[in-house]
Amino acid sequence: MKHFFKQGNKDLPTLLLLHGTGGDERDLLPLAEMIAPEASVLSVKGNVDENGMARFFARLREGVFDEEDLVYRTNELKQFIDESANDYEFDRGNVVALGYSNGANIAASMMYHIKESLKAGILFHAMVPRRGIELPDLSGVPVFIGAGKRDPLIPLNETKELVENLKKAHSSVTEFWTDGGHELRREEVDEAKRWFEKNFK
């Protein structure tokens, strides 16, 4: 997968950066700099092309995921992280996903499908990746969720369902809501920074 790696402090988790629809492997670098400037970064570009826009998995239409492709791409990303840990010599067991929108959705999908695939997650404007499956035990996998109360793409109840699913799987979930829409707001970034420092410094 096309990617960018930056070596940082090996005592901190490696941040896995996962962009939104139409982004690339450099999109979220400023975000990582704001949240955890000393951390190593593995920033990945999605392999799916939707009308010239990069995504991490296919969808049938707005808000409706191609579940078969979602599962395939989730495993593909997990394997890529495994290989990257060997190539760049970072601790595979200490990877924190930092995703926005489509990137947050595939990070959530990793938590839903693959036990111990992530140490934690910062999910900005995420949806329920898949329904009707049993999640692995997420004890010790804290998750920060940033969301907008007026998000036109993600109904409030969708985010609430994601939070409940993660909590039922024993994840410690921190929610932060803004009055905004689908855009990423500075206050949720600042809150994510506080959450990261509380959990990992």
Side-chain angles (χ1 to χ4, degrees), residues 124-125 176 178-181 183-190:
F124 291 117
H125 303 259
F176 185 78
T178 75
D179 288 325
E183 78 283 356
L184 195 51
R185 291 201 166 187
R186 180 61 191 252
E187 65 248 45
E188 57 187 308
V189 176
D190 290 343

Side-chain angles (χ1 to χ4, degrees), residues 142-157:
V143 178
F144 175 90
I145 290 182
K149 292 176 186 171
R150 296 183 175 84
D151 193 327
L153 302 179
I154 305 173
L156 191 135
N157 287 345

Side-chain angles (χ1 to χ4, degrees), residues 13-17 94-98 118-122 142 195-196 200:
T14 296
L15 284 185
L16 172 70
L17 305 188
N94 199 17
V95 174
V96 174
L98 169 56
L118 294 170
K119 179 76 173 172
I122 298 173
W195 175 90
F196 183 86
F200 298 107

Side-chain angles (χ1 to χ4, degrees), residues 143-147 159-160 163-164 167 173-177 191:
V143 178
F144 175 90
I145 290 182
T159 304
K160 291 285 187 188
V163 169
E164 284 311 305
K167 283 182 175 175
V173 183
T174 301
E175 298 171 66
F176 185 78
W177 292 84
E191 201 61 36

Side-chain angles (χ1 to χ4, degrees), residues 16-196:
L16 172 70
L17 305 188
L18 303 165
H19 62 77
T21 300
D24 63 28
E25 71 281 7
R26 294 190 172 266
D27 252 30
L28 299 190
L29 294 176
L31 201 56
E33 194 64 30
M34 292 164 77
I35 292 172
E38 295 171 18
S40 297
V41 164
L42 176 66
S43 191
V44 186
K45 182 178 180 182
N47 270 347
V48 173
D49 184 318
E50 182 185 270
N51 303 318
M53 296 186 298
R55 281 177 57 85
F56 285 99
F57 58 88
R59 58 184 170 182
L60 305 176
R61 59 183 183 277
E62 187 76 62
V64 182
F65 301 159
D66 180 331
E67 289 198 7
E68 188 179 335
D69 191 61
L70 172 67
V71 172
Y72 173 79
R73 299 294 177 182
T74 299
N75 287 312
E76 175 186 62
L77 179 59
K78 187 263 182 189
Q79 187 178 344
F80 175 74
I81 301 164
D82 293 348
E83 292 165 1
S84 297
N86 284 330
D87 292 345
Y88 296 114
E89 299 180 341
F90 61 81
D91 180 357
R92 178 62 186 90
N94 199 17
V95 174
V96 174
L98 169 56
Y100 168 67
S101 194
N102 178 242
N105 293 339
I106 196 151
S109 180
M110 286 180 72
M111 292 179 198
Y112 268 54
H113 292 103
I114 309 166
K115 186 173 172 64
E116 296 176 353
S117 56
L118 294 170
K119 179 76 173 172
I122 298 173
L123 311 181
F124 291 117
H125 303 259
M127 296 173 70
V128 175
R130 200 169 171 217
R131 291 180 171 88
I133 63 166
E134 188 173 342
L135 277 64
D137 183 8
L138 295 174
S139 301
V141 182
V143 178
F144 175 90
I145 290 182
K149 292 176 186 171
R150 296 183 175 84
D151 193 327
L153 302 179
I154 305 173
L156 191 135
N157 287 345
E158 177 90 24
T159 304
K160 291 285 187 188
E161 184 182 339
L162 175 62
V163 169
E164 284 311 305
N165 289 345
L166 294 170
K167 283 182 175 175
K168 279 179 188 164
H170 312 297
S171 170
S172 159
V173 183
T174 301
E175 298 171 66
F176 185 78
W177 292 84
T178 75
D179 288 325
H182 198 63
E183 78 283 356
L184 195 51
R185 291 201 166 187
R186 180 61 191 252
E187 65 248 45
E188 57 187 308
V189 176
D190 290 343
E191 201 61 36
K193 177 182 173 69
R194 280 189 281 274
W195 175 90
F196 183 86

